[in-house]
């Protein structure tokens, strides 16, 4: 091979390897973030610049570096520069592959370096290795072409021609629809398979005059597929994104096509409402602004694509816009109709309050749609509506879970049970929201004449060593079951149905109630259709498979029994707090137990970070979530068992965890109603067992706030 030809081949190889190491990972990341592209109004020219930079400019600079070194310093130096670049690009490629295979920690980095070094040695010495890289040169064209032709990129780069859709309807009634997130249907039930009226009084009151579909199920375990399935009445497609381009016939576009409906749409996660239909949102962004967002976001995204999640060093945080998070949730707080793009996992009380303000009497029929990410993590709300921790969208995964999205629970059952407890408290907050909604509908004279639909996108699971929402064995019923209540206009009598219904039946129900013509093509059927034979099985999808389940789905009651065994039902509200070692202590007076010598264990309380003061009408955080550590304890004495007393009564028991890196940590939740107005006396005891009886040893006590407040 001539020197000139070798240099040309080396340049082509750098283009190929740069495509694998840099361009393709970022192309893939962008393809999975349609909401980012839509919200930031990334247009065709900005997309073209991204492709040009990743596929031409950066590899061109590397090729020029190699050729310049050879021209200035000789071919031997040029070859060394080539091999160095090959090693770096190979390392990056292998890092991406290992991260996708969930290989974590520094082992991933070390393995990538070792494999890349071996590959570079082969590249420098073996003709066959160079031939393989040459054969892969088609990637130079294929990767950008596939990226530009994929949805949502294709819909941005080559938007389809607009087609005017017109539809008529027979009976345009107000539609009120609330989609909760990560809400298992059996969470609502008591031991009699009825709605627990003590824990969920407002949902029970709604069900008294509505139809409760007790056997309802989701069709997918991910919001980006589950919500579009609800809004289109169709089973999810494997490669569909939650955009209007991939779901052109959805609830929003169908109602817009009637030109009759006033649209109030709170859509924090998906992007099925056409932006062009919302004049307040359609604000073209200049090219400089688009490229600025891309330039500040994509390099950090690439680092997170490159390196595993567990490293001894901290990567820069990905900008919130990548996750479609708005820094200020009060964006357009006075906007009363159109689409609202609040942060999906922050300040959810403000979101729902905004939604309620938008429900007003109107001469025209209206759609009031709210996807509210409750009782989904982060858990910070109590059934009273008060918060015990900030709801600012900054928490990404629960304590006791791990993995890229916090999907996998630890094997410490108490850590998982604490998470489950907080979820149930936030489910009580979801009930409060329904009460506020029905009050608002009655106050605006909309309740009786509206079609009201309350459901969830999918369920959630709390089982040690299993996943929160990735189906794997025993957790299937937890994730598939969802609540579904429908109140038709004028309905006053409650109905409980065990028919085999799925979330895809919601849109056909709306179309049937309105008499929408032509009726949309759906996989689901209307919930009031008694002529169509009932399905003989349920269908549930994950990203890699479709599962067929028994129509009666009796397995969902295994989830109910699992929860009742840990937390009981509403007939004993305090049972929510009877978790942890020595749970028999909860509710008992400290003076009724033997109190031994003070414990040498050192307790440090990191939450709450202030005094245990409580004012019922104060919006401040309720100091009922305790987080702390222990010190002065040898490893052999771990775990340490603790009891937390409030004003002389034990209100929670816990222990230090068995988690690597957290064996000195503990957490506990005390009931809000255990706190009295003003200062509270909180004591933390180490619990030991002597003669088969628990003995309490005082280890920490809150300062006397009344004394501190004295002049």
């Amino acid at each position: 091979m001539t020197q000139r030809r070798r240099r040309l081949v080396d340049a082509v190889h750098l283009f190929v390897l740069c495509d694998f190491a840099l361009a393709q990972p970022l192309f893939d990341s962008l393809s999975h973030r349609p909401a980012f592209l839509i919200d930031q109004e990334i247009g065709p020219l900005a997309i073209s610049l991204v492709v040009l930079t990743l596929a031409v400019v950066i590899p061109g600079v590397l090729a020029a570096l190699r050729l310049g070194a050879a021209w200035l310093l000789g071919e031997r130096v040029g070859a060394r520069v080539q091999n160095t670049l090959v090693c770096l690009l190979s390392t990056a490629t292998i890092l991406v592959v290992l991260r996708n295979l969930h290989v974590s920690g520094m082992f991933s980095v070390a393995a990538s370096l070792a494999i890349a070094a071996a590959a570079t040695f082969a590249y420098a010495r073996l003709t066959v290795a160079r031939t393989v890289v040459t054969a892969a040169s088609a990637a130079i064209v294929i990767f950008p072409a596939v990226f530009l032709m994929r949805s949502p990129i294709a819909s941005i780069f080559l938007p389809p021609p607009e087609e005017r859709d017109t539809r008529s309807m027979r009976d345009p009634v107000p539609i009120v629809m609330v989609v909760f997130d990560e809400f298992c249907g059996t969470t609502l039930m008591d031991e009699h398979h009825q709605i627990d009226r003590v824990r969920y009084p407002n949902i029970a009151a709604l069900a008294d005059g509505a139809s409760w579909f007790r056997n309802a199920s989701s069709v997918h375990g991910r919001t980006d597929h589950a919500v579009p399935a609800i809004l289109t009445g169709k089973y999810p497609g494997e490669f569909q994104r939650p955009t209007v381009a991939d779901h052109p016939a959805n609830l929003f576009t169908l109602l817009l096509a009637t030109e009759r409906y006033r649209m109030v749409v709170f859509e924090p996660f998906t992007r099925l409402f056409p932006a062009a239909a919302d004049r307040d949102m359609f604000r073209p962004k200049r090219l400089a602004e688009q490229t600025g967002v891309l330039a500040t976001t994509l390099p950090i995204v690439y680092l997170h694509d490159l390196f595993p999640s567990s490293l001894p060093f901290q990567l820069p945080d990905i900008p919130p816009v990548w996750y479609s998070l708005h820094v200020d949730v009060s964006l357009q707080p006075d906007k009363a109709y159109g689409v609202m793009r609040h942060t999906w996992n922050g300040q959810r009380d403000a979101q729902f309050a905004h939604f309620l303000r938008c429900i007003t009497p109107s001469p025209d029929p209206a759609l009031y749609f709210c996807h509210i990410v409750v009782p989904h993590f982060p858990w910070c709300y109590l059934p009273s509506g008060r918060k015990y921790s900030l709801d600012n969208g900054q928490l990404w995964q629960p304590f006791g879970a791990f993995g890229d999205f916090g999907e996998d629970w630890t094997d410490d059952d108490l850590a998982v049970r604490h998470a489950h407890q907080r979820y149930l408290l936030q489910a009580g907050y979801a009930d409060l929201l329904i009460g506020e909604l029905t009050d608002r509908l009655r106050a605006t004279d909309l309740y009786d004449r509206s079609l009201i639909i309350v459901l969830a996108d999918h369920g959630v699971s709390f089982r040690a060593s299993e996943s929160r929402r990735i189906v794997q064995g025993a957790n299937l019923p937890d994730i598939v079951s969802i609540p579904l209540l429908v109140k038709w206009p004028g309905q006053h009598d409650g109905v409980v149905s065990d028919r085999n219904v799925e979330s895809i039946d919601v849109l056909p129900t709306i179309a049937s109630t309105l008499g929408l013509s032509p009726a949309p093509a759906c996989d689901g059927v209307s919930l009031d259709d008694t002529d169509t034979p009932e399905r003989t099985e349920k269908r549930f999808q994950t990203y890699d498979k479709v599962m067929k389940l028994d129509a009666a789905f009796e397995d969902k009651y295994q989830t109910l029994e699992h929860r009742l065994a840990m937390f009981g039902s509403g007939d004993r509200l305090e049972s929510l707090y009877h978790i942890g070692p020595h749970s028999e202590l909860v509710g008992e007076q400290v003076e009724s137990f033997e109190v031994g010598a003070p414990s040498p264990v050192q307790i440090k309380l990191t939450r709450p970070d202030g005094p245990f003061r409580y004012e019922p009408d104060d919006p401040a955080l309720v100091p009922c979530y305790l987080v702390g550590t222990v010190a002065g304890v040898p490893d052999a004495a771990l775990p340490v068992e603790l009891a937390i007393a409030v004003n002389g009564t034990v209100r929670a028991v816990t222990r230090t965890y068995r988690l690597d890196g957290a064996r000195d940590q503990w957490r506990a939740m005390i009931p809000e109603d255990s706190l009295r107005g003003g200062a509270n006396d909180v004591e933390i005891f180490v619990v030991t067992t002597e003669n088969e009886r628990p003995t309490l040893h005082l280890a920490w006590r809150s300062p006397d706030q009344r004394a501190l407040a004295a002049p």
Side-chain angles (χ1 to χ4, degrees):
M1 181 184 295
T2 64
Q3 188 177 85
R4 182 177 180 181
R5 179 177 173 80
R6 183 181 181 88
R7 290 177 178 177
L8 177 62
V9 171
D10 282 357
V12 170
H13 287 177
L14 292 176
F15 272 76
V16 172
L17 293 173
C18 206
D19 270 342
F20 279 94
L22 177 64
Q24 182 54 28
L26 281 174
F27 288 162
D28 190 59
S29 292
L30 278 169
S31 296
H32 284 84
R33 285 291 168 188
F36 164 75
L37 297 170
I38 292 169
D39 288 355
Q40 300 305 314
E41 299 173 21
I42 306 299
L45 189 52
I47 292 291
S48 299
L49 289 175
V50 169
V51 173
L52 184 67
T53 301
L54 296 178
V56 178
V57 175
I58 294 177
V61 169
L62 298 182
L65 180 63
R66 184 262 186 262
L67 295 175
W71 182 62
L72 293 174
L73 303 173
E75 185 56 35
R76 179 174 295 180
V77 174
R80 289 177 178 173
V81 170
Q82 174 76 12
N83 291 338
T84 300
L85 294 174
V86 167
C87 188
L88 291 174
L89 293 172
S90 299
T91 301
T93 302
I94 297 162
L95 274 170
V96 171
V97 171
L98 293 181
R99 195 186 193 289
N100 290 335
L101 294 174
H102 305 291
V103 179
S104 61
M106 290 303 295
F107 173 78
S108 172
V109 177
S112 298
L113 288 170
I115 297 171
T120 304
F121 179 83
Y123 176 84
R125 298 298 180 91
L126 302 176
T127 302
V128 65
R130 292 177 59 86
T131 302
V132 169
V133 179
T134 302
S137 59
I140 297 174
V141 176
I142 292 174
F143 286 172
V146 170
F147 172 66
L148 293 174
M149 291 188 294
R150 286 182 62 178
S151 174
I153 304 302
S155 62
I156 294 173
F157 198 78
L158 295 172
E162 291 188 9
E163 297 181 5
R164 183 174 176 80
D165 185 11
T166 58
R167 294 181 188 258
S168 62
M169 64 181 68
R170 181 184 65 252
D171 189 14
V173 299
I175 304 168
V176 181
M177 187 170 172
V178 174
V179 179
F180 288 115
D181 203 301
E182 213 168 70
F183 200 166
C184 179
T186 58
T187 297
L188 296 176
M189 299 183 195
D190 60 19
E191 59 269 33
H192 305 296
H193 300 179
Q194 300 299 313
I195 293 178
D196 191 325
R197 291 182 172 273
V198 177
R199 290 186 182 169
Y200 310 105
N202 296 298
I203 294 176
L206 174 62
D208 286 342
S211 298
W212 174 35
F213 294 92
R214 187 163 50 186
N215 191 26
S217 57
S218 175
V219 297
H220 203 284
R222 292 270 185 198
T223 300
D224 55 352
H225 284 73
V227 171
I230 293 169
L231 295 174
T232 63
K234 294 182 178 181
Y235 290 113
E238 184 178 357
F239 299 109
Q240 286 180 320
R241 305 293 179 214
T243 65
V244 68
D246 277 17
H247 304 279
N250 66 68
L251 174 63
F252 309 140
T253 59
L254 292 171
L255 293 185
L256 285 169
T258 69
E259 299 183 346
R260 299 282 302 276
Y261 267 80
R262 181 170 176 262
M263 307 292 283
V264 175
V265 175
F266 282 68
E267 194 189 11
F269 193 90
T270 56
R271 295 297 182 270
L272 271 65
F273 191 97
D278 184 51
R279 64 185 181 187
D280 293 327
M281 185 180 173
F282 192 66
R283 300 185 299 274
K285 186 174 287 186
R286 294 192 303 271
L287 178 62
E289 294 176 291
Q290 298 175 43
T291 54
V293 170
L294 291 168
T296 56
T297 304
L298 292 186
I300 301 175
V301 169
Y302 178 68
L303 290 177
H304 285 262
D305 284 342
L306 200 63
F307 291 104
S309 54
S310 53
L311 288 170
F313 54 88
Q314 184 72 35
L315 295 174
D317 291 334
I318 295 177
V321 295
W322 180 251
Y323 301 102
S324 299
L325 299 181
H326 304 293
V327 175
D328 184 5
V329 76
S330 63
L331 182 71
Q332 298 177 287
D334 299 324
K335 187 175 179 180
Y337 64 92
V339 65
M340 322 293 174
R341 303 292 197 204
H342 286 310
T343 299
W344 64 270
N345 71 336
Q347 297 186 35
R348 289 158 289 177
D349 52 352
Q351 291 184 46
F352 204 78
H354 186 184
F355 175 62
L356 294 179
R357 291 196 303 272
C358 293
I359 299 177
T360 57
S362 171
D364 299 319
L367 167 69
Y368 302 105
F369 174 89
C370 182
H371 174 200
I372 183 78
V373 185
V374 169
H376 190 290
F377 179 81
W379 305 301
C380 50
Y381 288 94
L382 296 165
S384 66
R386 297 281 296 273
K387 293 192 286 284
Y388 57 85
S389 65
L390 295 176
D391 185 20
N392 54 14
Q394 300 301 308
L395 296 175
W396 291 100
Q397 69 180 39
F399 178 80
F402 59 95
D404 290 342
F405 300 102
E407 300 286 5
D408 304 311
W409 289 118
T410 176
D411 59 357
D412 189 327
D413 63 319
L414 185 61
V416 179
R417 195 169 296 189
H418 281 157
H420 199 168
Q421 177 193 45
R422 295 172 65 197
Y423 157 81
L424 291 173
L425 291 169
Q426 195 147 292
Y429 175 64
D431 177 78
L432 178 72
L433 297 183
I434 293 301
E436 293 177 350
L437 173 65
T438 54
D439 287 347
R440 180 65 176 173
L441 293 174
R442 293 183 192 279
T444 54
D445 197 30
L446 286 168
Y447 185 85
D448 190 60
R449 55 195 181 95
S450 295
L451 172 64
I452 303 174
I453 302 173
V454 175
L455 76 160
D457 57 351
H458 55 75
V460 63
S461 182
F462 295 88
R463 297 175 187 266
S465 302
E466 294 200 27
S467 175
R468 192 167 103 237
R469 60 181 192 179
I470 298 174
V471 172
Q472 47 182 210
N475 68 358
L476 173 65
D478 314 352
I479 299 168
V480 173
S481 175
I482 58 171
L484 174 57
L485 294 94
V486 178
K487 190 202 77 65
W488 275 273
Q491 182 178 358
H492 299 285
D493 297 326
V495 175
V496 179
S497 172
D498 285 313
R499 286 179 55 203
N500 178 18
V501 302
E502 297 177 340
S503 56
I504 57 169
D505 297 331
V506 170
L507 182 70
T509 301
I510 296 173
S512 172
T513 303
L514 303 183
L516 198 63
S517 180
C522 298
D523 296 323
V525 296
S526 177
L527 293 168
D528 62 356
D529 183 352
T530 57
D531 296 328
T532 302
E534 187 176 345
R535 294 185 188 89
T536 58
E537 60 187 8
K538 286 184 177 293
R539 172 171 165 166
F540 185 81
Q541 296 178 223
T542 62
Y543 283 134
D544 57 352
K545 61 183 175 181
V546 175
M547 290 172 281
K548 301 296 179 68
L549 312 174
D550 179 67
F553 198 43
E554 293 292 328
D555 287 353
K556 64 179 175 290
Y557 294 122
Q558 297 176 7
T559 297
L560 175 60
E561 296 302 323
H562 176 67
R563 176 178 57 78
L564 291 173
M566 290 186 292
F567 300 102
S569 60
D571 62 339
R572 293 181 65 236
L573 276 175
E574 70 277 8
S575 61
L576 271 176
Y577 300 90
H578 280 245
I579 59 175
H582 305 289
S583 60
E584 73 279 1
L585 300 180
V586 177
E588 302 294 332
Q589 296 290 314
V590 170
E591 62 186 20
S592 65
F593 297 97
E594 182 177 346
V595 177
S599 173
V601 174
Q602 302 166 29
I603 299 287
K604 180 180 180 181
L605 203 63
T606 57
R607 180 188 297 222
D609 57 2
F612 282 89
R613 294 192 64 85
Y614 175 70
E615 301 297 339
D617 299 323
D618 191 334
L621 298 181
V622 178
C624 63
Y625 182 44
L626 281 64
V627 179
T629 58
V630 301
V633 183
D635 290 345
L638 292 172
V640 176
E641 297 176 344
L642 303 172
I644 294 96
V646 182
N647 302 319
T649 302
V650 177
R651 296 297 186 177
V653 289
T654 188
R655 61 163 167 76
T656 52
Y657 294 114
R658 298 190 178 100
L659 308 176
D660 289 340
R663 294 180 183 273
D664 63 337
Q665 299 181 27
W666 58 270
R667 298 178 181 225
M669 182 74 70
I670 58 176
E672 181 181 4
D673 62 10
S674 69
L675 298 167
R676 65 193 177 199
N680 287 266
D681 184 17
V682 177
E683 298 168 305
I684 302 175
F685 296 91
V686 172
V687 183
T688 61
T689 302
E690 300 172 13
N691 299 321
E692 299 184 354
R693 289 176 55 83
T695 300
L696 307 183
H697 304 268
L698 183 64
W700 186 92
R701 184 175 184 179
S702 59
D704 188 335
Q705 300 303 322
R706 288 164 293 188
L708 292 176

